[in-house]
Amino acid sequence: MMMTTTVLNLIDGSFAPARGGATISIYNPATSELVGTAPDSTAHDVEAAVEAATNAFAAWSALAPAQRAAHLHALANLVERDIDTFARAESIDTGKPLALARSVDIPRAIANLRFFADAVCDSHVEQFANEHARSVVHRRALGVAACISPWNLPLYLFTWKIAPALASGCTVVGKPSEITPVTAWMLAQRSIEAGFPRGVLNIVNGRGPLCGAALVAHPRVACITFTGGTVTGETIARTAAPAFKRVALELGGKNPTIVFADAVRSDRLTQTVHGVARAAFTNQGQVCHCGSRILIERSAWETFVPALVERARALRIGDPLDAATDVGSLISLQHVMRVAAAVDGAIRDGGRALCGGSRVDPSLLPAATRAGAFYPPTLIEGLPPSAKANQEEIFGPVATLIPFADEAEAVAIANGTRFGLSASVWTSDPSRAQRIASQLDCGTVWINSWMVRDLRAPIGGMHASGLGREGGREALHFFAEPVVVVTHETPE
Ligand code: NAD
């Protein structure tokens, strides 16, 4: 019998349930077991959290960057000390393979805290001088930042928001996804241990339309950084606009993976197949940057497609806690139903599933996971670029295969959705890679790689994939208002 976790809110340095006492159940999606509860917070809890953050702002923003950085480093050190506990909790909360949580999610959360601590210490005051005046750009922390994160990379994306906010001098009210609140709760506990001043980091748990919406609408919230679905992003932007609140929106994607024939010659085939499969199926396809449309040069089809199908079939589906598992469970049984419905729709539209295409037979799963939310890696061919499965995000282990004749057609198909998050280009020709990259309408283009990151580089999307960028200086600047002080060099 698994121990259950009671997640609490962190408000003004204290832990508390929702004022109304209501809770949300938390399930392990790989087993469907109840693993805990979290507060089902309302506007009352949000009010208390925003008030605490407002009261803490003057002292926190007045600290020297190095003092704020020291708190973030102390927090990062505690997460690192407990990295195995965090990784296990993340795997149980999401269904993602433990190996992925241990090698990517939690190390990246630690890196986020450290990166922004160092970045704020390294940032310089900009100055411009001409014959008339000296202009000094002071960056003044905005105030209370609302940081709202999704369920697919819970601690990774939560820290990606709170770290630059806190480093910049904002105080924070964070709202993790109600589906995956456990690692943010563990972080809340470590923040107390790390000696965070009360009210600087507050975390409220609850449902998006109730707790999240109250946070976005709160008049004393100065800015909102949000990662999640495009529809939610629209709602948040609409609420924020009349108050001129600054928003950063990291939303969905329908990212193209563009494979040229020169990337599937015998010496490169395995590398390309593994890279493309990784881009499509990592975290069960539940990464906003997953390459869910695979565009293949016609002359490469016969070589590449069977090799990709073989690779997808070879991925081991199973208990996320088993080190041999490549593909864990999706986030919930409801999400499996959504993914299955999208695949069924694609088949009705004329697509053919070359692998996967229907729910995993539970009898093939380890006994403990037979009630889990599993769906197999699925590759679908035969759909025109305009088909729904090529236009709408499915956010599961499902990718479509689309042929193209030449570079121009590849670019046209790649750019032919309402999204613009990222792309990857697979070719042995460096000048072609750069040529294609320069024509793609998206925030990041990976060449012969996927999800390789330098945290100093901005990341984010265009069009329905979002507004603004996170990462590096862009993130620090988001949380601050530039105020320019101009001094005449010569007395008038
Ligand atoms: P979601 O939009 O349902 O929820 C995200 C967060 O917003 C949750 O904390 C939720 O409680 C909150 N929320 C929901 N409604 C709200 C409202 N009206 N006001 C305020 N907050 C509200 O998204 P999700 O299902 O948790 O995550 C999956 C989506 O996130 C996918 O579309 C995926 O592409 C996207 N995503 C994007 C990126 C990126 O960097 N672009 C990264 C990860 C995930």
Side-chain angles (χ1 to χ4, degrees), residues 23-350:
T23 58
I24 298 170
S25 300
I26 314 164
Y27 296 92
N28 175 349
T31 62
S32 294
E33 271 179 303
L34 181 76
V35 290
T37 59
D40 192 357
S41 304
T42 67
H44 294 297
D45 306 287
V46 169
E47 179 64 39
V50 175
E51 188 185 343
T54 305
N55 293 339
F57 176 68
W60 179 252
S61 58
L63 290 181
Q67 291 173 296
R68 294 195 296 268
H71 282 99
L72 290 171
H73 277 298
L75 184 56
N77 292 344
L78 293 177
V79 179
E80 187 166 54
R81 179 194 71 190
D82 299 337
I83 189 166
D84 291 320
T85 319
F86 271 91
R88 195 177 162 83
E90 202 72 299
S91 172
I92 290 171
D93 226 10
T94 57
K96 72 175 66 205
L98 174 60
L100 185 67
R102 180 64 178 77
S103 64
V104 176
D105 288 70
I106 309 304
R108 177 56 194 278
I110 297 166
N112 289 341
L113 295 167
R114 290 187 175 143
F115 171 78
F116 285 110
D118 293 339
V120 76
C121 294
D122 289 346
S123 48
H124 303 288
V125 174
E126 282 175 295
Q127 300 200 34
F128 306 99
N130 60 21
E131 64 271 38
H132 308 297
R134 187 163 50 90
S135 301
V136 180
V137 186
H138 297 276
R139 297 206 180 255
R140 202 180 280 170
L142 288 179
V144 178
C147 300
I148 305 177
S149 53
W151 48 257
N152 61 330
L153 308 168
L155 195 68
Y156 175 137
L157 290 175
F158 191 66
T159 50
W160 186 232
K161 296 181 176 307
I162 67 160
L166 293 169
S168 305
C170 287
T171 51
V172 163
V173 179
K175 199 206 86 62
S177 168
E178 60 274 39
I179 303 171
T180 55
V182 172
T183 48
W185 160 236
M186 293 167 63
L187 192 77
Q189 294 169 298
R190 304 310 181 278
S191 76
I192 299 297
E193 191 180 346
F196 267 54
R198 50 186 267 219
V200 165
L201 172 63
N202 306 275
I203 302 178
V204 286
N205 290 278
R207 295 167 208 274
L210 191 64
C211 171
L215 180 58
V216 170
H218 197 292
R220 272 176 292 152
V221 165
C223 59
I224 301 132
T225 168
F226 166 78
T227 298
T230 295
V231 172
T232 315
E234 280 173 31
T235 306
I236 288 175
R238 231 178 277 125
T239 307
F244 303 104
K245 289 182 188 179
R246 199 175 283 186
V247 290
L249 304 173
E250 299 287 333
L251 310 176
K254 194 71 197 174
N255 312 300
T257 298
I258 307 174
V259 182
F260 285 95
D262 58 15
V264 306
R265 286 195 303 250
S266 56
D267 57 327
R268 298 179 72 104
L269 180 63
T270 304
Q271 184 195 338
T272 302
V273 164
H274 279 244
V276 171
R278 195 175 143 259
F281 301 127
T282 294
N283 204 39
Q284 298 71 246
Q286 301 167 130
V287 177
C288 53
H289 291 283
C290 273
S292 56
R293 289 182 298 150
I294 305 174
L295 281 49
I296 304 156
E297 192 169 8
R298 264 183 214 285
S299 58
W301 192 277
E302 292 304 318
T303 312
F304 180 70
V305 171
L308 184 64
V309 169
E310 190 185 326
R311 175 71 191 146
R313 287 205 176 115
L315 293 171
R316 288 188 50 172
I317 305 169
D319 184 349
L321 298 178
D322 181 340
T325 292
D326 299 307
V327 178
S329 91
L330 271 58
I331 192 64
S332 64
L333 290 169
Q334 293 96 300
H335 194 49
V336 170
M337 303 298 278
R338 279 195 291 268
V339 169
V343 171
D344 293 348
I347 306 295
R348 273 198 306 278
D349 287 346

